[in-house]
Amino acid sequence: MTFRFSSFASAILLGTLASLAPAQAQDRSIVVASTTSTQDSGLFGHLLPIFKAKSGIEVKVIAQGTGQALDTARRGDADVVFVHAKSQEEKFIADGFGVKRFDVMYNDFVLIGPKSDPAGIKGTKDIVAGLKAIQAKSAPFVSRGDRSGTHSAELALWKQAGIDIAASKGPWYREIGQGMGPALNTAGAMNGYVLSDRGTWISFRNRGELEIAVEGDRRLFNQYGVMLVNPEKFSSVKKEFGQAFVDWLVSAEGQAAIAAYKIDGQQLFFSNAEKKGS
């Protein structure tokens, strides 16, 4: 028996296929859970158009603190994670949520403070001495308090300074539970100190009376890593597109694009991809 489509049925079929085509095109996208610093610094605004022009893949960014970004990925709500807290990233891999971790780039943290410098630490390169002076003088200090990579680094630095910040904090220590931009704005309003990644600081325009108080200590090193979320754990992960983004970031082209991003002639991030991963 032979079946023939009527012209009406054919029109319906062609219309259905036409309506599906845009949906399929729109599906050529991935979700990247990343830190606020990669977004707030303008790095993604620089990188993502380059990647899309090369691959045709659109990257949708969820900008959060590192801890929140990893939680987003643990729920299967992202394809790729791009963050900066190596110990947390390695645990994410060990727990089976990520495939491999790759170093991508680094910059450093800087301690920002008011020009009035109530702790008397401006110009020092010793972050531990700086934090000790802030605590001893109860100078205002703003903590992100959001489980971000910057917050984790801050807590580690207090520990290196021999200060139990949970026990020692008082009214001078303010936890805001927000990103880097709001933390800098709060520090400006309080005439206080705050730890910032250098990239966000360079791109921050509402500086007012704020300036760098402490920089250059090797303990302020800030490494970023990228990971594909494990598609064996979450079938929703777009493995091919996500891996294409990871591969591009650690490729010569991606690394050059990262190094080329500057504001007022200042390079914000320095490429150091470890292509074998961990």
Side-chain angles (χ1 to χ4, degrees), residues 131 150-161:
L131 292 176
T150 304
H151 181 219
S152 297
E154 177 223 316
L155 295 179
L157 290 168
W158 284 115
K159 187 174 181 180
Q160 289 180 57

Side-chain angles (χ1 to χ4, degrees), residues 30 64 86 111 125 180 198 203 217 240 244 255 263:
I30 58 171
Q64 304 170 297
K86 190 169 183 178
L111 185 65
K125 294 184 182 296
M180 199 66 254
R198 190 181 292 271
S203 63
D217 192 318
E240 292 78 13
Q255 293 283 283
I263 294 179

Side-chain angles (χ1 to χ4, degrees), residues 81-254:
V81 190
F82 189 0
V83 288
H84 65 141
K86 190 169 183 178
S87 62
Q88 294 183 47
E89 297 163 43
E90 289 173 339
K91 186 177 189 307
F92 182 82
I93 295 292
D95 290 344
F97 289 101
V99 177
K100 275 188 179 181
R101 180 197 172 279
F102 296 86
D103 283 342
V104 177
M105 63 190 188
Y106 70 93
N107 61 9
D108 62 345
F109 294 108
V110 287
L111 185 65
I112 305 300
K115 292 177 181 177
S116 58
D117 193 25
I121 60 175
K122 180 181 175 181
T124 179
K125 294 184 182 296
D126 188 336
I127 185 62
V128 163
L131 292 176
K132 285 180 177 178
I134 290 171
Q135 190 262 345
K137 296 183 180 181
S138 297
F141 185 94
V142 177
S143 171
R144 283 180 55 171
D146 63 351
R147 296 173 54 238
S148 62
T150 304
H151 181 219
S152 297
E154 177 223 316
L155 295 179
L157 290 168
W158 284 115
K159 187 174 181 180
Q160 289 180 57
I163 297 170
D164 181 349
I165 195 61
S168 302
K169 63 186 178 183
W172 60 275
Y173 184 87
R174 181 172 177 184
E175 297 171 281
I176 64 168
Q178 297 185 62
M180 199 66 254
L184 285 163
N185 283 324
T186 303
M190 292 176 59
N191 279 327
Y193 296 90
V194 62
L195 188 71
S196 172
D197 68 282
R198 190 181 292 271
T200 303
W201 171 249
I202 290 173
S203 63
F204 185 66
R205 295 305 180 192
N206 188 31
R207 294 184 180 183
E209 292 298 305
L210 294 177
E211 62 183 5
I212 294 177
V214 180
E215 63 179 332
D217 192 318
R218 59 179 179 78
R219 291 169 288 199
L220 294 171
F221 180 77
N222 181 28
Q223 177 70 52
Y224 289 79
V226 68
M227 301 168 285
L228 178 71
V229 179
N230 191 349
E232 294 183 4
K233 189 172 284 288
F234 301 106
S235 60
S236 59
V237 170
K238 296 175 183 175
K239 178 181 177 180
E240 292 78 13
F241 293 164
Q243 189 62 53
F245 183 58
V246 171
D247 291 344
W248 183 79
L249 285 173
V250 301
S251 72
E253 182 181 350

